[in-house]
Amino acid sequence: MTTRRKPSATSLPPSRATNHGSSAARSRLTLDGFSLEMTGNDVADLIKAKDVIPHGTKVNITYLGNEDLEMRAIAAKAVRSLGFVPVPHISARRLRSREQLEEFLDRLRDVGATEHVLVVGGDPAKPAGPYKDSFDVIRSGILPRYGVREVGIAGYPDGHPDISSDTLWASFEDKSASLKDQGLDSVIATQFSFDAAAVNSWINEVRTRGIESPIRVGTPGPAGIKRLLNFARRFGVGANAMVVKKYGFSLTNLMGTAGPDTFISDLSKLLTSEHRSTKLHLYTFGGLLATAEWAHKYSETHS
């Protein structure tokens, strides 16, 4: 993804979009209760990092096209056995049939990993089966039958290159309403961003629309700068010179690594006391162990 959309809060009245929280108490953003991300192939890395990850941490498990059912189930079981909370992804457009979705949920239930899931549309431009987007999976009513209690839905503070802002918001509200109607808890997990102001504006718009679900703001753990920018281009994250300079690195110097310290500090200054339900989700582009060690050090330094 290479297109950078304007922050959605430009549709708000100026007083809400620019001055929200100017007179309110600030909400200090910490790493308390952060979550992590891994693939089905990262079990060995998770074991190496287990001693520096807080007990009970939520660990999202991606649903990649080159991984099979058993690999995903083994990863979910490992997360749980190590004392963490597995949050398997369900990629709607990768599902070939309703039966495949039920088989996946049934296998997750076997390993005690269906309480928390995250439902995304997925990368394929053309659906492999009956689910064209995450809303189709959610409104099917299948999830609670397998013990799902909380469903994560995706948020896009930088917009989406293939989906209009109006469509994103309509779908977002539909998913939130459907989960509420089914008696399921919901949590919002955002795509990572380098732009704290855009994230803050997006959070304000979520709340203005009456959606009170907890929000997990995506940010990359420490990783190589070139690698970070490659992921940014892939996912449509804004990475212009001014934004990445605020993040702490330069587009003209791709050597070395960068961490999210600056982003977290900037976002913390913008959030208000109304945003106490905002936590961080760490994308492990630089590896699970490096991300976990950084988080441990950051927490100690800023405690």
Side-chain angles (χ1 to χ4, degrees):
M1 298 196 283
T2 56
T3 304
R4 172 73 165 91
R5 296 188 183 279
K6 295 180 180 179
S8 54
T10 52
S11 62
L12 299 176
S15 61
R16 291 301 297 271
T18 60
N19 295 328
H20 189 284
S22 60
S23 61
R26 297 301 178 199
S27 176
R28 182 168 170 266
L29 187 62
T30 71
L31 259 69
D32 291 347
F34 70 87
S35 53
L36 292 166
E37 189 131 335
M38 66 176 284
T39 73
N41 201 38
D42 290 335
V43 173
D45 292 334
L46 181 67
I47 293 172
K48 292 178 183 177
K50 65 181 177 61
D51 293 332
V52 287
I53 301 175
H55 183 83
T57 294
K58 287 185 174 180
V59 180
N60 288 19
I61 306 159
T62 58
Y63 192 111
L64 301 179
N66 60 353
E67 297 175 350
D68 59 20
L69 170 62
E70 197 57 25
M71 181 179 288
R72 298 175 188 125
I74 289 172
K77 183 178 181 179
V79 171
R80 183 175 174 82
S81 67
L82 291 170
F84 311 124
V85 178
V87 185
H89 288 197
I90 298 172
S91 180
R93 285 192 288 274
R94 291 191 187 281
L95 295 167
R96 296 187 300 274
S97 65
R98 177 189 177 102
E99 289 73 25
Q100 186 185 23
L101 171 58
E102 293 187 316
E103 181 185 20
F104 179 48
L105 291 169
D106 190 51
R107 188 70 182 92
L108 290 178
R109 186 169 57 184
D110 287 344
V111 298
T114 55
E115 287 193 7
H116 307 267
V117 300
L118 188 144
V119 186
V120 297
D123 293 333
K126 183 179 179 180
Y131 306 109
K132 69 180 183 300
D133 54 30
S134 56
F135 183 44
D136 280 350
V137 173
I138 288 169
R139 67 179 174 179
S140 71
I142 293 172
L143 300 179
R145 300 178 195 171
Y146 287 85
V148 174
R149 295 193 300 106
E150 179 187 82
V151 178
I153 57 177
Y156 298 91
D158 284 310
H160 194 294
D162 301 320
I163 307 173
S164 72
S165 178
D166 287 345
T167 300
L168 279 177
W169 283 113
S171 176
F172 196 72
E173 292 175 327
D174 287 343
K175 286 182 282 190
S176 297
S178 180
L179 291 171
K180 187 174 182 180
D181 289 344
Q182 294 178 62
L184 295 172
D185 294 331
S186 60
V187 62
I188 302 161
T190 79
Q191 181 56 274
F192 73 92
S193 178
F194 300 135
D195 191 341
V199 172
N200 182 61
S201 295
W202 182 86
I203 291 173
N204 289 339
E205 185 160 351
V206 171
R207 298 308 185 214
T208 296
R209 291 171 180 266
I211 299 170
E212 299 300 328
S213 305
I215 295 174
R216 290 188 172 274
V217 174
T219 186
I225 293 171
K226 188 174 181 179
R227 184 174 176 83
L228 284 174
L229 292 177
N230 285 338
F231 275 105
R233 284 189 286 270
R234 175 181 171 186
F235 295 118
V237 173
N240 61 52
M242 184 177 68
V243 169
V244 299
K245 185 177 180 180
K246 289 181 180 179
Y247 197 81
F249 59 90
S250 169
L251 289 175
T252 60
N253 180 10
L254 303 184
M255 302 300 292
T257 62
D261 305 59
T262 301
F263 172 81
I264 295 172
S265 175
D266 288 350
L267 183 58
S268 186
K269 293 172 184 175
L270 295 171
L271 296 178
T272 73
S273 57
E274 298 175 17
H275 299 142
R276 289 194 182 96
S277 61
T278 301
K279 297 184 183 296
L280 289 168
H281 176 71
L282 303 178
Y283 288 92
T284 56
F285 300 144
L288 271 164
L289 180 59
T291 302
E293 288 178 335
W294 170 86
H296 180 74
K297 183 177 179 180
Y298 184 94
S299 296
E300 283 192 334
T301 304
H302 295 81
S303 61

